[in-house]
Structure formats: structure tokens, C-alpha cells
Amino acid sequence: MLKQAPIFIARKQELPLDSDSSSPFLKVMISIAVFLFAVTLAGVMSINAMLINWNESILGSLTVQIMPVNNIDKAKATAQTLAHQEKAIEALKTIEAVEKVSPLEDKQLQALIRPWLGDGVKLENLPIPRLIDVKLKKGATLDFAQTAEKLAEATPYASLDNHKLWLSKLISFADGLKMLALAALVLVILITSGAIFYTTQTSLGLHCYIIEILHQMGAKDAYIAQQYAKRTAWLGLVGGCIGVLLAVPTIFLISGLASQIEGGIISEARLSAFSWLIILSLPLFSGLISMLTAYYTVKNTLQKMM
Amino acid sequence: MLKINQGDPIIEMQNVGIRYGQGPEILSDIKLSLKKGSFHFLTGKSGAGKTSLLSMMYLAQKPSRGIVSVFGKNVNFTNRDSLAMLRRRIGVVFQDFRLLDHLSAFDNVALPLRVCGMEEQEVKKRVVELLSWVELSKHMQATPATLSGGEKQRIAIARAVINRPDILLADEPTGNVDNDIAPKLMKLFVELNKLGTTVVIATHSEKLISDFAYPRLHLQNHGLRIYNANDLTGMGGGSHA
Ligand SMILES: Nc1ncnc2c1ncn2[C@@H]1O[C@H](COP(=O)(O)OP(=O)(O)O)[C@@H](O)[C@H]1O
Ligand SMILES: [Mg+2]
């Protein structure tokens, strides 16, 4: 009985949504959105990877240098240098994140320069800086810029470890960049959902004759919303695949360019396997968002009819 | 769902008024109570408000004022999903048929079954059976545009009754077809009524209904008057040539 009826195989759509003129527009729109989203997300994730590395390297401890005071009277010079060191120590101790401040003893300093100058060097005779080892509390983050300011106030002879200070500035810059990128991601989602919202509303208006008939036949709003959800999920999935397909070579291109930057700072930016997994699953994500947006747009719009 | 027995009111209206937008009331102070299993004609000149009254019965419109109850439920206090469930028990034949032009005859008739999620196999069985009963088996895959007025009408009627509705509402069902079909159509409605379906047929054609001794709901001057079978002889108004 079933076999002799090929006419029943393809059930025609009650709402001819596939022929909506907005469908190609939505597909292109979603492709572009997912492309932008994927590239920006790759940026966020590599910034994150770098931040983790950088944060680790500035965590835990740092070194403060006290430049030697110049004076012909060596004893006086040493005394003045030590006085500046004392001021720096006092200043460091007032900082919340600091656990322990320990100036390096003469012996330790001599040990440090032994490989270069050998034994028996009189420290007073050399214009070498004195060093303070600062241990930070576990998990505490130090505001490098503020610490540098505090030290400068205490004594002009003190200076923070240059590399770490610079790195901390880079971290706050990267943090800002990350926030900006995250805001862009949210914006892309909002704009795409907005486009789906308006095209869905337009389509509902276009098909109101059919929808009225479906309602009269006893269709619930969910029945109509499901047809829209299905169609739009498909557009989101296909558009998402196109977007990701374009984004992957772009991401490779950008990271290739970035790796040419000197200094090894960017080398930590390589995306992890997990990050790639997220990027490759974006079509599912865009399909889901498209589906939910269409579904709730239909439900809400129909609510206003009898 | 409330069970409604034969003879219980199935459609009720109290102090019902209806208007479109800010316009004047098309119908005012309508009061009626149709019993389950009854058969009524709805008469009145064109523009009298027959379609407006029917559309409240088939739950496409809410009254501007007053109370409309269908299957014992006040439509003003019934949520959208429940209204959809009530509509499944009401078959409607529209004056302009309202078939979906991009669907085949088969798919049009299948619509009420599919929207309530019936198994496709059962849908096929029922639709094939009904289409053969209205003598449209040959045109199952034809789209409405390729069919004659009478054929389209039979599809519209098949769609209205496929779900075995408790109420059948027909809006000028004979208005758009050849005269020789009209008596056959009336016979069909009478048959359905005998099976327990509550029937209301709107018409402005006196000729069509003069042979039937069913009560009439007559619309005139924005109001409703009900004539029973035995006081029909005195009635003059409402007919169109
Ligand atoms: N959707 C509508 N908007 C505005 N006016 C309407 C609408 N539908 C019907 N009317 C008006 O209501 C009156 C009654 O119309 P209708 O109920 O269609 O009467 P009938 O079916 O008896 O011909 C007419 O004057 C008509 O112009
Ligand atoms: Mg009418």
C-alpha cells in the first residue's frame, strides 16, 4: 500500500519558507558573522594563552635594584646607598601583595659577582647596585605601575625589574584588548540575532494568510514556530560552516604573520587543540542561536494575533 | 475537557457586540445559545454581519464586548493553546475556500490532521478515503489553481470534516459554485448533522434553504432574531434574488 504511493514521499512545506527571498540574505549574513566571530575568538583565545604565560612569569617574586650613590668617600657612599635601600624596603613593606622583603647581604652579592670578578672583591669599591628580593603573597597580583610609583616616591635610587614592569604593562594592554574583542563578540551575536528577528517578522507578515489558515486548522503557535526554527537552524548551520571554512585559513595567515614578530612574546599565542575544537564547533553554535531566535520571535509575534 | 452532551449548549453568546477598529458596531447585543446536534441557517443581506458572527464562532475573532462561549469555555479567558485545541473540534468552510495554493489537494485536506501531529500513515488512510468519497481521487496531487470551483469547494469541505469536528460552520458554501451542486451539498450537511455534528450555514440565498425546516438566525439592523421552524412562514426579509 505504501510502496505504490510515491506521491506521499515528499511532504511539501505548509509554509514555503525555503523560497523566502530573505533566506539567501540570512545565509550570507550568518556566514560573515561567524567568520568575524571565529577570527575574533581565535584572537581572544591566543591573547588568553599569552596572558597565562605572562602572568605566570611575573607571579611570585620580583627584584628591586638600588643604584649605588656616587661619593668619593667610599664609606659614606655605602652608608647612603644602604639608607636608600632602607627607604625602599619600608615602601615595599606597605604594599598589600608583598609577603616578605629581603635585601641581599654582602655575602650573597659577592656570590653573585664571583663568576665574573672572582673572590675577595670589596663591594664598596665597585659601583654595583644592591638588590632586594621581594616575595609576593600566594595568588596575589601586584600592581606594577603603582609599585614603581611608590618606590620612586620613596627614593629616586630604587627601580623595579625592567622586564617585569614592561610585561605588566603589556598584560594590561592585552587585557584591554581582550575585553574589546569580547565586546565585539557579543555585538556580532546581537546583530545577527537582530537580523534573524527582523527577517522572521517580515516573513511572518508575508505568510500571514497561510498562518491564519494553520491557526484555524488548530495549529498551536509552537507548530509554526518549529517550522521557522527548523529552517533558520539550517541556515545558521550552513552559514556557520561557510564562515568557519573562510575563517580557518585567515587565522593561519594572521598567526603566521604574528610569529614573524621578534622577541618570542607572540610565540606563546599558538591555539590549543581545545581552542580549535571550539572554533570548528561554531556552526553548531550559530545554528542553535538562529534556531532559538527564530523560535521565540515567532512565538512572541503570534502572541499578538487572536 | 468538559464533556458536552447532546442538547447541551455548545455555542453561547451574551450581549455580544463586534466592531472593526474604531468603527461602529457591526453587531450589537447578540444573544444566542446553540445546542449540541442542532442545525441552523444564518441569514441576512450581504454586509449584515454573517461572516463576522461566524468568525466569532470559529474562534478567529473575539467579541468587542459581551461573552462568547464555545464548548462551555469563555473565549476571553481561554489561552492561545487551549483555543487551538478548541479549533480542532470546529470545521470551517470559508466563502472563498482558503485553500493553500502551493499544496496539492491531498496536502490541503491533510492539514488539520498534520497540525495536531497525527501519524502520517493514519493521515494517508483518512485523506485517501475522504477524497474518494468526495470523488476527487483522480485529483489528489493537483494544486487548487488547476481545479474548477466545484472541485475546490469539495476540497474545502473535505478539509473541514476530515477531523470529524463537533461543529461545522459553512460561510455561503453555495455562493461560488454551480446551482446544481447546491442541493447535493445541503444533503451532505444534513447527513453530517444526523451523525451528531452541530451545523451552522450562513447564506443570503432564500432559494437554497426554503426547502428545509431548520431554525434561522437572522441578522438585520445590527441585531439577531431567531425564527423557529414553525414561524418561518411569516418571514420575508433576508433573501437575495
Ligand atoms: N476585517 C474587516 N474590517 C473592517 N470592516 C469589516 C471587516 N470585515 C467585515 N467588515 C464590515 O462589517 C460588515 C459586516 O460584514 P460581514 O460580516 O462580512 O457581513 P456578511 O458576511 O453578512 O456579508 C460590513 O459592513 C463589512 O464592511
Ligand atoms: Mg460574508
Side-chain angles (χ1 to χ4, degrees):
Chain A
M1 160 90 198
L2 283 175
K3 276 183 202 123
Q4 56 120 110
I7 47 170
F8 301 132
I9 287 170
R11 172 175 165 189
K12 245 188 144 173
Q13 279 184 309
E14 288 144 13
L15 279 160
L17 301 178
D18 284 344
S19 51
D20 270 9
S21 59
S22 63
S23 291
F25 161 75
L26 262 193
K27 206 189 285 173
V28 170
M29 162 101 202
I30 292 170
S31 306
I32 296 172
V34 171
F35 170 79
L36 291 176
F37 194 94
V39 172
T40 312
L41 186 66
V44 168
M45 290 189 298
S46 42
I47 288 175
N48 246 351
M50 288 191 284
L51 278 175
I52 289 169
N53 267 313
W54 296 345
N55 271 320
E56 264 171 11
S57 62
I58 65 167
L59 231 68
S61 72
L62 74 149
T63 312
V64 173
Q65 293 186 60
I66 307 294
M67 297 313 287
V69 178
N70 250 334
N71 201 321
I72 310 187
D73 184 344
K74 296 293 176 200
K76 219 173 176 183
T78 306
Q80 280 172 343
T81 306
L82 288 176
H84 283 298
Q85 174 170 284
E86 208 48 46
K87 280 185 198 163
I89 291 171
E90 287 311 310
L92 287 168
K93 278 182 175 164
T94 63
I95 293 169
E96 177 91 29
V98 170
E99 179 164 298
K100 203 174 143 202
V101 184
S102 29
L104 267 62
E105 314 254 321
D106 285 5
K107 246 192 251 164
Q108 291 168 294
L109 285 172
Q110 270 165 343
L112 277 175
I113 55 174
R114 188 178 299 134
W116 288 278
L117 301 177
D119 277 327
V121 175
K122 287 208 130 195
L123 283 177
E124 310 88 78
N125 295 332
L126 284 176
I128 59 156
R130 304 200 65 95
L131 300 174
I132 306 168
D133 187 49
V134 182
K135 220 177 142 199
L136 299 177
K137 284 178 188 160
K138 242 196 182 139
T141 50
L142 185 70
D143 185 337
F144 273 77
Q146 208 188 338
T147 308
E149 232 170 75
K150 249 188 183 163
L151 276 174
E153 261 171 41
T155 159
Y157 285 85
S159 68
L160 269 180
D161 181 332
N162 252 340
H163 177 69
K164 287 195 177 178
L165 180 59
W166 178 77
L167 207 53
S168 83
K169 282 179 180 163
L170 198 61
I171 287 175
S172 43
F173 171 70
D175 256 332
L177 206 62
K178 191 172 105 181
M179 285 305 145
L180 208 67
L182 286 175
L185 291 183
V186 172
L187 215 63
V188 167
I189 294 178
L190 287 181
I191 289 173
T192 313
S193 303
I196 293 171
F197 175 81
Y198 282 111
T199 49
T200 304
Q201 272 204 333
T202 308
S203 170
L204 284 172
L206 208 64
H207 298 304
C208 68
Y209 175 79
I210 298 175
I211 289 167
E212 238 173 70
I213 291 174
L214 290 176
H215 270 146
Q216 193 59 57
M217 303 294 118
K220 292 182 182 175
D221 292 344
Y223 181 85
I224 293 153
Q226 274 160 15
Q227 304 205 8
Y228 273 93
K230 225 167 43 193
R231 193 271 310 234
T232 317
W234 177 247
L235 288 179
L237 196 70
V238 173
C241 286
I242 296 171
V244 167
L245 227 61
L246 295 174
V248 169
T250 310
I251 293 168
F252 273 117
L253 192 74
I254 293 173
S255 66
L257 290 175
S259 67
Q260 287 170 19
I261 296 174
E262 299 280 326
I265 286 295
I266 309 288
S267 64
E268 287 121 9
R270 216 166 288 118
L271 288 172
S272 64
F274 179 68
S275 302
W276 278 116
L277 197 70
I278 289 179
I279 288 172
L280 292 179
S281 64
L282 283 180
L284 292 178
F285 182 64
S286 73
L288 189 73
I289 288 192
S290 307
M291 181 180 88
L292 292 177
T293 308
Y295 187 87
Y296 287 104
T297 303
V298 174
K299 283 276 262 186
N300 276 325
T301 310
L302 293 184
Q303 202 78 48
K304 290 162 201 144
M305 300 169 64
M306 164 140 184
Chain B
M1 193 164 282
L2 277 172
K3 177 142 174 53
I4 294 175
N5 295 310
Q6 205 75 5
D8 286 350
I10 197 165
I11 299 174
E12 283 185 292
M13 295 191 185
Q14 282 170 45
N15 306 319
V16 165
I18 189 163
R19 58 159 54 142
Y20 293 98
Q22 292 305 305
E25 276 199 335
I26 303 300
L27 296 170
S28 296
D29 299 316
I30 302 295
K31 187 176 178 316
L32 62 79
S33 171
L34 307 186
K35 291 186 167 57
K36 182 170 162 53
S38 62
F39 193 122
H40 288 84
F41 289 115
L42 176 58
T43 57
K45 288 183 186 148
S46 84
K50 299 183 292 298
T51 302
S52 302
L53 188 68
L54 276 184
S55 69
M56 285 189 282
M57 294 180 179
Y58 56 71
L59 309 174
Q61 281 198 83
K62 286 182 179 169
S64 319
R65 65 182 172 92
I67 299 169
V68 173
S69 299
V70 179
F71 298 111
K73 296 215 170 189
N74 183 333
V75 300
N76 280 319
F77 302 121
T78 308
N79 68 37
R80 293 180 62 76
D81 281 353
S82 305
L83 283 174
M85 297 308 285
L86 296 184
R87 287 190 194 105
R88 292 177 187 183
R89 303 167 64 188
I90 304 172
V92 188
V93 183
F94 296 97
Q95 188 166 3
D96 52 357
F97 307 143
R98 300 207 191 166
L99 300 173
L100 297 186
D101 286 331
H102 64 289
L103 295 185
S104 65
F106 180 95
D107 285 336
N108 266 291
V109 176
L111 218 48
L113 302 179
R114 284 173 172 164
V115 299
C116 56
M118 184 180 281
E119 288 266 330
E120 204 57 19
Q121 210 163 328
E122 176 73 9
V123 171
K124 279 166 210 162
K125 207 183 112 220
R126 284 221 210 168
V127 175
V128 167
E129 193 180 287
L130 188 57
L131 279 176
S132 94
W133 188 66
V134 295
E135 293 169 24
L136 279 173
S137 295
K138 276 197 201 118
H139 299 296
M140 237 182 263
Q141 289 313 306
T143 54
T146 63
L147 298 174
S148 72
E151 287 164 335
K152 277 193 270 202
Q153 182 179 49
R154 277 180 278 155
I155 297 172
I157 291 169
R159 185 182 68 180
V161 301
I162 186 87
N163 219 0
R164 298 165 192 165
D166 295 317
I167 302 176
L168 180 69
L169 304 172
D171 197 355
E172 316 238 11
T174 57
N176 273 323
V177 288
D178 313 336
N179 275 337
D180 59 325
I181 296 178
K184 283 190 206 158
L185 212 57
M186 288 306 303
K187 221 180 122 196
L188 168 67
F189 292 143
V190 170
E191 285 303 315
L192 286 168
N193 177 247
K194 280 182 184 154
L195 293 172
T197 310
T198 310
V199 178
V200 179
I201 295 170
T203 181
H204 65 250
S205 157
E206 183 64 32
K207 207 173 99 201
L208 175 75
I209 61 177
S210 52
D211 294 342
F212 296 92
Y214 292 119
R216 296 183 187 186
L217 310 168
H218 185 69
L219 293 174
Q220 202 170 17
N221 302 325
H222 313 296
L224 174 79
R225 294 191 62 178
I226 300 175
Y227 297 94
N228 285 316
N230 40 13
D231 47 43
L232 281 178
T233 36
M235 228 187 89
S239 73
H240 251 239

